[in-house]
Amino acid sequence: MKKALIIVIALVLLISFVSCTEESPFAPGISEVVVQAYLFAGEPIDDIKITSTLLLGSEDTTAPPINDADVYLIKEGKQYNLVAVPGDSGYYHYSGSDLEVEEGDSFEINISYDGEISKAETVVPPPPENVEISDTILYISDDFFGWGPSDTNNIEITWDAVTSAMFYITVNNLETDPESIEMNGPFGDGSDAFRNFISTPTSSNSYQMRRMNFTHYGKHLIKIYRINQEYADLYISRTQDTRDLNEPLSNIENGLGIFSAFNSSDSIYFYVKKEE
Amino acid sequence: MKYQLGSGFNRILYFFVFLSFVIPGSVLASQNVKSSNIKGYVKEKESGEPLPHANVILKGTNRGATANSDGYFVIVGVPVGKCSLEVHYIGYESKVIEVDNKPEGLEPLQIEMEAKAILIDGVKITAQAEMLEVAEHISQYTIAPRQLSMLPNMGEVDIFRAVQLLPGISGANDAESGLYVRGGTPDQNLILFDGMTIYHVDHFFGFFSAFNANAIKDMQIYKGGFPAEYGGRVSSVVNLTGKRGDMNEPKLGVGANLLSAHLNFETPLPWTKGSFIIAGRRSYTDFIESPLYNSIYNFVTGEDNGGAVGGRVTGGQWNRGIMESMFKPSFYFYDLNAKLTLMPSYNNIFAFSFYNGKDNLDNSQDFSDLPFRFAETDSDVSLSTTDFTKWGNLGGSGSWSYQWNDRLHTDINLAYSNYFSQHDGTTNMDVNLDDSTSNVRGFSNASEEDNSLTDITLKLNSEWHINRFHELKSGLQASQLEANYTSSLNDTTNILNLEDKTRQYSFYAQDNWKISKMDFVLGVRTTYYEETQENYLEPRVSLVYPLSENIKLKGAWGYYYQFIHRIVNENLTNQSRDFWLLADEDLEPTFSEHRIVGLSYENDRFLLSVEGYQKDLDNLIEYSPRFRREADYEDRFFIGTGKAKGLEFLGQLKKGILSGWLSYTLGRVDYRFPAFNDGEDFPASHDRRHEINTVAKLNLGPWTFASTWVYASGNAYTAPESQYFLEMLDGEIVSYIHVGDKNSNRLPDYHRLDLSLSRQFKGELVDSEVGLSVFNVYNHKNVWYRQYNLNTIPISITDVTMLGFTPTLFVQFNLK
């Protein structure tokens, strides 16, 4: 019996010492190229940013921009060289006037950096069609309490449904010095930070704007964007279960991030006015 | 995918069928000795209850029998004349009975066994005998629930926690009383309770197993290579036989600990031969929040670690401010067992068993006292949320067993089992204005999640002892399974709505064939599964070959199919809510092939055993609501394969004042999913390379001192490699992580020492027992998982730890 007890005690002590070895909570790795490249139909190509990953455990607090990569857009077999924006931002743009982004165009991006090539493809989607708004004026009173999905005083925007297509909606207050709506809810008054807002990606063909969405009176611009799956994937990857981490979805080959194209409806205007 | 057996297997099968008839005939012809059968019943002396799976050995031979669930045994073809029978049952004094066998046979023997006892001051006290018995069949164990009360526990005697101390069964997770058997997952275990399949096996978010040890008589565990009489799971079998209750006199037992109280009552039936038992447990955690409850609750819900379990990694603030600090959730669990046994005659037994276990969590909050006001008005706002979650299992079974003659026994069992998990959450806000403006008056949000699985199964089993060489078991089983899962928002938006109903029909036959010294079990099970309209064939073979009196060589091989999947449903804002789905043409039945070999040495004092196993798995299912490219839910399921292999060592001290065991498992579980890790193999998240368990129990008179110590190398997990930032279209900068190879990192090693001290008291009217149990004595910070917070630069890491030093008390009274 004594022997058995001694063996058990010895095992406890042995394992206690052995198990003191700690493994790093980070996987070892090397820097990767991160691409953030958005193309908007009918707009200049200036929203392309190349950065590097920030290795975990590093003392840095910002992701290092990459300003000296060779960046090309390829459309219909023709290659267009993007140049870095002066400064240390990692942004690239196309300065010529011979490259347009139009519905149905297929683009490839090709980034050569540090002997490695990263690339991705996207197609410019068609714009949302037959966009309509239910009213052009939304009245909100001074003592409006800001919460309430059941608030039926809404403005609804609709567009043609397309199978498997996804959209998002942006709303921008166009006033230079707008009057804020007094918000009496527990979250306090409206803040400038919420003057403009954007919906989450949706596969629906309508969007309800409630009074709770607005923080300022005045003229507003609404745009509906048709988005590609790669953007929806990126959006979905924003949250993770820490117990089972997965690589965020990306369409970049030999790199991380996103290369995607968007197409928007015509601009729609409406007003948020004070209820008398 | 179905696994086809080649023509080679068929030839082997025919060969054995041929041999099985030729050999017994030739052996019998060569013998000219008169013989007859010795049969009988093994029961407990004190209560008259049968002792299922008791072993009866014909001394001086390698022949014997195992009692069935009614305690009945028969040894066929025993030579006429004097012989000795040795009877063993775990936790009871072994008994030797001298028998004078007659040519015409004997009346059934009534063998009464006494629990092991010691004398203290002239009074007999139950001695806590061995808790574990390694069975003849490979990878099979018997556990005595009544012997487990002396092991360290968290207040409740937990039979599954004790099972986790066996080699090959992982138990290094404080929040999981489910069984990870040889690289399998808990849903791959067939848990039978009096013939009912139990789908939900734990209480308190997995902290306790859902079975009341006071209601269980016998527990058989097959870690693999299980015989053809069991089917529908690919990993293991836990077969629980409920207590029938005292056949001699009424008994009442009550007990309590810092979490719950229990009561059990058993009595013989006054009007006929039979018995009744009812046993219930209920936590009082909803009205008394003991420090132990708070400690466990905070651990399982993640409050100890600053947030909800599963802590989201990024994407905005997790607001747990003033609102959440003002409520206390209400939680309780209960379970109830009842069993009525009627015995019109010794060979004719009816039994009706009922089981209900439920957990209830009320996370509702009322913020009516919060000072929300409209500016410059007297209006006020009340906000309330209801958040109910309840889950559990309801079941009942009725069985009739009949002994037609010495050698033929049949039983019919009709079982109903319903697993349920319901979540109902609503948020209501009322605004009381002091004027008649037409502004917002309130709103309501509701989300519901409902999963139910109903299993109605009819089984017919027969056991025929053909001759001394063959024991044939066969059976039919018909099951109707219905699984529903709905997840909805505001009664209108169906997030997921799955309904499935199917039937399956199984037939099995297995021959326990004794060839010379060798015990050979050849079986086959076939199942027609309506959903896929396919027939699934499962051949199984096992053997035991004694190399000497003490050394046995064992082996098993078999095919196994599982027609139901438990989907691990990650929920970012609350605990995981897993749900069950039936296999279909898209999510095909899971398949497994077991290959096991082992060697054991056993004498009266101790046992040494080593087993090696390999288990191939196919059609494993992983589910992720986010890792998808299409809206169609079916694209959220990922299908892969797995391979588990390992070596297990067990050393057991069976007798003496110090008893217990030491086990070591070297294991590996690799998965391969085309969608993950570039299609390369990766360790499963429950993979642990090394596990050591020690169980020691010291009896010193009425005092019992027990300890368990568990060591396991860390679980596999996926660690981030780097961080990067992308600007979304609304201007928000979102932090993302680039992860390393899937499950390539390991959490720190797990180890924990638990101790308990208890004392028995014997009185005129009441026997009692009091004890103190301490969990994680040296307060080791075992890491449950790592939480990465991407809202900081650099990423901050929190090690979410499991339960620390936790003492608890328990008391038990048994009225005579």
Side-chain angles (χ1 to χ4, degrees):
Chain A
M1 186 189 83
K2 277 184 181 172
K3 279 183 183 172
L5 277 176
I6 290 167
I7 290 170
V8 169
I9 292 165
L11 267 173
V12 171
L13 293 174
L14 176 70
I15 299 299
S16 302
F17 286 118
V18 169
S19 63
C20 288
T21 317
E22 287 278 330
E23 191 173 343
S24 166
F26 304 125
I30 53 168
S31 287
E32 302 265 350
V33 168
V34 180
V35 180
Q36 176 196 301
Y38 300 136
L39 304 179
F40 295 89
E43 294 184 26
I45 296 167
D46 57 5
D47 199 355
I48 291 172
K49 187 180 183 185
I50 314 294
T51 56
S52 174
T53 52
L54 193 60
L55 285 175
L56 301 184
S58 129
E59 295 298 314
D60 293 337
T61 54
T62 55
I66 295 173
N67 299 300
D68 54 349
D70 292 324
V71 184
Y72 297 95
L73 278 178
I74 300 162
K75 178 184 169 185
E76 293 173 354
K78 192 177 173 190
Q79 193 164 283
Y80 300 87
N81 188 14
L82 306 190
V83 293
V85 173
D88 187 26
S89 64
Y91 273 100
Y92 291 76
H93 72 123
Y94 184 69
S95 51
S97 56
D98 57 336
L99 177 58
E100 291 194 341
V101 181
E102 293 172 330
E103 175 187 344
D105 285 349
S106 291
F107 281 92
E108 183 182 327
I109 192 166
N110 201 312
I111 299 143
S112 176
Y113 176 69
D114 205 17
E116 297 281 332
I117 293 175
S118 306
K119 54 187 180 180
E121 292 175 358
T122 192
V123 176
V124 182
E129 292 187 345
N130 297 320
V131 178
E132 291 179 0
I133 188 164
S134 61
D135 203 343
T136 54
I137 301 173
L138 182 68
Y139 290 101
I140 301 178
S141 72
D142 257 353
D143 56 356
F144 167 66
F145 182 83
W147 293 8
S150 62
D151 178 12
T152 53
N153 197 353
N154 301 327
I155 285 185
E156 186 177 45
I157 304 153
T158 57
W159 57 92
D160 284 354
V162 182
T163 308
S164 301
M166 299 196 79
F167 305 89
Y168 74 87
I169 298 96
T170 63
V171 180
N172 297 92
N173 185 299
L174 299 177
E175 305 293 337
T176 49
D177 186 19
E179 181 186 353
S180 68
I181 300 167
E182 194 173 356
M183 294 280 285
N184 292 303
F187 299 128
D189 289 347
S191 145
D192 279 354
F194 300 111
R195 274 177 61 185
N196 308 314
F197 67 88
I198 185 167
S199 73
T200 56
T202 175
S203 55
S204 171
N205 69 323
S206 68
Y207 186 72
Q208 300 244 342
M209 289 189 300
R210 299 183 171 89
R211 293 183 294 181
M212 61 179 281
N213 294 132
F214 297 96
T215 57
H216 292 80
Y217 296 109
K219 187 178 183 182
H220 286 74
L221 165 69
I222 300 177
K223 274 193 160 186
I224 318 294
Y225 285 84
R226 169 97 178 250
I227 64 175
N228 287 333
Q229 186 65 45
E230 56 263 12
Y231 185 77
D233 288 345
L234 185 73
Y235 199 88
I236 289 165
S237 302
R238 285 156 46 110
T239 54
Q240 292 225 33
D241 184 340
T242 195
R243 292 168 298 179
D244 184 20
L245 297 176
N246 286 299
E247 189 69 42
L249 297 170
S250 170
N251 67 334
I252 308 293
E253 199 178 306
N254 197 26
L256 305 166
I258 182 168
F259 174 50
S260 191
F262 307 86
N263 205 341
S264 67
S265 63
D266 292 336
S267 301
I268 296 175
Y269 299 96
F270 80 103
Y271 295 87
V272 177
K273 292 188 173 178
K274 193 178 290 188
E275 192 173 52
E276 298 302 330
Chain B
M1 182 196 303
K2 270 181 63 190
Y3 286 77
Q4 302 294 335
L5 294 164
S7 57
F9 175 80
N10 291 331
R11 281 198 291 271
I12 292 169
L13 189 68
Y14 296 144
F15 174 69
F16 278 116
V17 170
F18 170 73
L19 278 184
S20 71
F21 287 97
V22 170
I23 288 182
S26 58
V27 172
L28 284 173
S30 67
Q31 295 175 339
N32 192 19
V33 179
K34 284 191 175 176
S35 64
S36 65
N37 307 328
I38 293 181
K39 70 267 185 190
Y41 291 86
V42 186
K43 54 181 134 178
E44 189 183 57
K45 185 178 182 184
E46 189 186 357
S47 67
E49 265 202 88
L51 297 177
H53 307 107
N55 288 311
V56 184
I57 297 160
L58 189 61
K59 264 192 110 176
T61 72
N62 66 338
R63 298 181 57 200
T66 301
N68 65 17
S69 58
D70 299 328
Y72 176 82
F73 72 93
V74 60
I75 304 174
V76 177
V78 180
V80 168
K82 290 189 176 174
C83 61
S84 298
L85 296 178
E86 194 173 323
V87 190
H88 299 280
Y89 188 68
I90 183 170
Y92 289 75
E93 295 285 359
S94 295
K95 202 166 190 177
V96 176
I97 298 167
E98 302 298 331
V99 176
D100 189 4
N101 196 21
K102 305 287 183 194
E104 66 278 16
L106 300 170
E107 285 298 303
L109 303 173
Q110 302 293 330
I111 302 172
E112 294 184 327
M113 306 285 285
E114 282 187 90
K116 284 186 178 168
I118 50 176
L119 280 173
I120 298 162
D121 299 331
V123 178
K124 269 189 177 180
I125 293 215
T126 305
Q128 297 304 314
E130 67 267 32
M131 298 159 281
L132 168 71
E133 188 173 271
V134 178
E136 188 87 350
H137 184 275
I138 193 166
S139 305
Q140 185 187 352
Y141 297 89
T142 300
I143 283 202
R146 61 177 287 169
Q147 311 298 341
L148 300 178
S149 63
M150 294 299 163
L151 284 186
N153 58 55
M154 293 300 292
E156 289 294 334
V157 179
D158 195 325
I159 54 174
F160 275 27
R161 287 279 180 195
V163 170
Q164 289 178 344
L165 297 167
L166 297 175
I169 302 180
S170 184
N173 186 341
D174 301 353
E176 176 74 68
S177 66
L179 306 177
Y180 290 84
V181 183
R182 288 182 172 168
T185 49
D187 61 310
Q188 294 170 357
N189 307 321
L190 178 65
I191 313 291
L192 290 169
F193 180 70
D194 282 342
M196 296 170 251
T197 303
I198 305 297
Y199 290 87
H200 190 77
V201 297
D202 53 46
H203 284 312
F204 213 161
F205 309 106
F207 203 85
F208 300 115
S209 66
F211 298 104
N212 184 348
N214 291 321
I216 293 166
K217 188 71 189 173
D218 183 81
M219 183 175 187
Q220 301 290 317
I221 300 148
Y222 297 86
K223 292 191 298 182
F226 47 90
E229 63 184 295
Y230 300 107
R233 293 294 185 279
V234 294
S235 190
S236 76
V237 174
V238 178
N239 190 9
L240 300 161
T241 305
K243 281 180 84 170
R244 287 185 176 173
D246 201 304
M247 303 286 288
N248 299 326
E249 57 182 0
K251 273 185 186 164
L252 178 68
V254 292
N257 55 62
L258 297 180
L259 286 175
S260 62
H262 61 263
L263 182 145
N264 47 289
F265 174 69
E266 47 193 298
T267 180
L269 299 179
W271 69 89
T272 184
K273 193 174 182 191
S275 59
F276 176 72
I277 181 172
I278 184 165
R281 298 187 297 181
R282 191 192 188 282
S283 72
Y284 37 77
T285 46
D286 46 339
F287 47 91
I288 299 175
E289 291 177 356
S290 66
L292 176 63
Y293 165 72
N294 286 328
S295 179
I296 299 174
Y297 184 87
N298 290 344
F299 158 58
V300 293
T301 58
E303 294 293 327
D304 262 352
N305 297 287
V309 168
R312 55 197 283 180
V313 174
T314 187
Q317 286 298 112
W318 181 246
N319 288 311
R320 301 183 67 83
I322 183 171
M323 290 189 177
E324 296 207 15
S325 68
M326 295 186 69
F327 83 98
K328 277 193 179 287
S330 169
F331 172 78
Y332 68 84
F333 65 83
Y334 72 81
D335 52 59
L336 182 69
N337 291 82
K339 191 168 181 178
L340 174 70
T341 307
L342 303 171
M343 303 176 69
S345 62
Y346 75 92
N347 61 341
N348 194 16
I349 299 169
F350 295 89
F352 304 92
S353 184
F354 171 82
Y355 167 75
N356 184 18
K358 184 179 167 187
D359 284 50
N360 199 94
L361 174 66
D362 180 1
N363 243 329
S364 301
Q365 303 165 52
D366 186 353
F367 302 110
S368 56
D369 295 333
L370 283 181
F372 294 165
R373 292 282 186 279
F374 281 96
E376 298 168 10
T377 73
D378 291 330
S379 312
D380 46 43
V381 179
S382 71
L383 176 68
S384 64
T385 66
T386 56
D387 187 346
F388 294 113
T389 309
K390 56 184 175 182
W391 61 102
N393 213 117
L394 173 69
S397 70
S399 67
W400 172 48
S401 65
Y402 192 77
Q403 191 71 43
W404 297 92
N405 55 42
D406 290 359
R407 293 187 290 166
L408 181 62
H409 174 268
T410 60
D411 68 78
I412 296 174
N413 184 292
L414 177 63
Y416 166 87
S417 182
N418 172 240
Y419 161 77
F420 56 90
S421 168
Q422 294 164 352
H423 171 73
D424 181 3
T426 59
T427 304
N428 292 297
M429 189 184 74
D430 293 315
V431 183
N432 300 309
L433 300 176
D434 63 343
D435 57 26
S436 56
T437 59
S438 59
N439 284 315
V440 169
R441 299 287 177 159
F443 73 88
S444 175
N445 266 339
S447 68
E448 286 185 7
E449 203 173 336
D450 195 341
N451 181 217
S452 77
L453 174 72
T454 305
D455 176 343
I456 301 172
T457 296
L458 178 66
K459 286 182 215 166
L460 169 66
N461 295 308
S462 75
E463 190 177 351
W464 179 26
H465 297 262
I466 303 171
N467 53 41
R468 54 181 285 200
F469 303 101
H470 290 279
E471 179 188 325
L472 183 69
K473 281 187 178 180
S474 60
L476 293 164
Q477 180 177 328
S479 298
Q480 177 173 289
L481 297 165
E482 186 172 357
N484 296 311
Y485 179 77
T486 56
S487 176
S488 64
L489 209 55
N490 293 330
D491 296 330
T492 51
T493 309
N494 275 331
I495 297 171
L496 204 53
N497 191 354
L498 308 172
E499 284 183 28
D500 252 334
K501 186 175 181 177
T502 192
R503 293 189 182 93
Q504 65 186 58
Y505 306 93
S506 303
F507 166 78
Y508 76 87
Q510 69 184 49
D511 182 23
N512 191 341
W513 179 17
K514 293 182 194 326
I515 311 171
S516 182
K517 291 189 294 181
M518 189 166 72
D519 211 345
F520 185 77
V521 181
L522 179 68
V524 66
R525 184 180 182 92
T526 178
T527 300
Y528 176 75
Y529 185 61
E530 222 175 49
E531 191 74 17
T532 56
Q533 299 188 344
E534 296 257 19
N535 200 49
Y536 297 85
L537 190 66
E538 298 164 276
R540 297 171 194 180
V541 178
S542 68
L543 64 88
V544 179
Y545 185 77
L547 297 173
S548 71
E549 190 183 343
N550 300 107
I551 301 174
K552 285 174 182 159
L553 179 69
K554 303 177 179 182
W557 170 86
Y559 275 11
Y560 301 85
Y561 283 99
Q562 179 163 336
F563 303 95
I564 189 162
H565 305 289
R566 189 183 73 168
I567 306 301
V568 177
N569 184 19
E570 158 203 315
N571 186 316
L572 293 179
T573 58
N574 213 319
Q575 288 76 35
S576 289
R577 297 198 191 98
D578 301 346
F579 57 94
W580 291 88
L581 286 181
L582 303 179
D584 57 25
E585 285 177 349
D586 298 316
L587 302 177
E588 289 187 62
T590 306
F591 168 78
S592 174
E593 180 180 357
H594 296 190
R595 292 182 287 272
I596 311 164
V597 291
L599 194 67
S600 70
Y601 174 88
E602 186 171 17
N603 61 24
D604 287 345
R605 291 290 310 278
F606 62 89
L607 172 136
L608 294 172
S609 160
V610 56
E611 289 188 13
Y613 64 88
Q614 183 165 334
K615 182 156 66 180
D616 296 336
L617 294 149
D618 199 2
N619 290 326
L620 295 171
I621 311 289
E622 293 257 331
Y623 172 82
S624 175
R626 85 158 61 78
F627 194 79
R628 65 190 166 102
R629 289 192 169 269
E630 303 294 337
D632 189 349
Y633 90 90
E634 285 177 356
D635 289 313
R636 302 175 196 179
F637 291 99
F638 301 92
I639 296 167
T641 59
K643 195 177 278 285
K645 55 189 173 186
L647 266 179
E648 301 165 358
F649 300 89
L650 174 69
Q652 185 191 10
L653 270 177
K654 296 162 65 179
K655 281 188 175 172
I657 56 170
L658 177 69
S659 60
W661 67 86
L662 168 69
S663 72
Y664 168 70
T665 306
L666 172 67
R668 185 184 178 110
V669 201
D670 286 326
Y671 280 178
R672 178 179 287 189
F673 282 72
F676 302 143
N677 212 40
D678 298 326
E680 298 293 320
D681 284 359
F682 61 89
S685 54
H686 55 281
D687 174 53
R688 290 189 187 270
R689 194 68 69 242
H690 308 281
E691 286 208 52
I692 299 171
N693 297 308
T694 68
V695 177
K697 188 160 59 66
L698 191 65
N699 282 111
L700 296 169
W703 294 92
T704 302
F705 173 76
S707 75
T708 58
W709 183 72
V710 178
Y711 165 83
S713 45
N715 268 135
Y717 76 104
T718 306
E721 186 178 299
S722 56
Q723 183 178 18
Y724 61 98
F725 308 93
L726 293 172
E727 185 175 347
M728 306 304 284
L729 296 173
D730 58 355
E732 182 189 5
I733 307 286
V734 174
S735 168
Y736 288 90
I737 48 166
H738 171 48
V739 299
D741 289 342
K742 190 165 176 68
N743 288 347
S744 61
N745 272 45
R746 294 276 167 176
L747 291 173
D749 296 345
Y750 176 104
H751 50 96
R752 189 189 86 222
L753 175 69
D754 304 337
L755 297 175
S756 72
L757 182 66
S758 59
R759 192 191 194 285
Q760 292 182 65
F761 298 91
K762 197 88 174 174
E764 289 280 313
L765 298 172
V766 179
D767 291 343
S768 59
E769 188 179 328
V770 293
L772 166 71
S773 197
V774 183
F775 183 88
N776 198 357
V777 172
Y778 53 86
N779 198 31
H780 185 248
K781 301 284 183 196
N782 290 307
V783 177
W784 187 6
Y785 61 89
R786 291 213 147 107
Q787 185 164 284
Y788 296 92
N789 183 358
L790 297 194
N791 291 321
T792 61
I793 304 171
I795 289 172
S796 64
I797 308 159
T798 308
D799 278 349
V800 177
T801 55
M802 295 195 237
L803 210 57
F805 174 84
T806 312
T808 186
L809 294 164
F810 64 89
V811 60
Q812 169 75 32
F813 299 100
N814 292 315
L815 277 63
K816 293 177 179 173

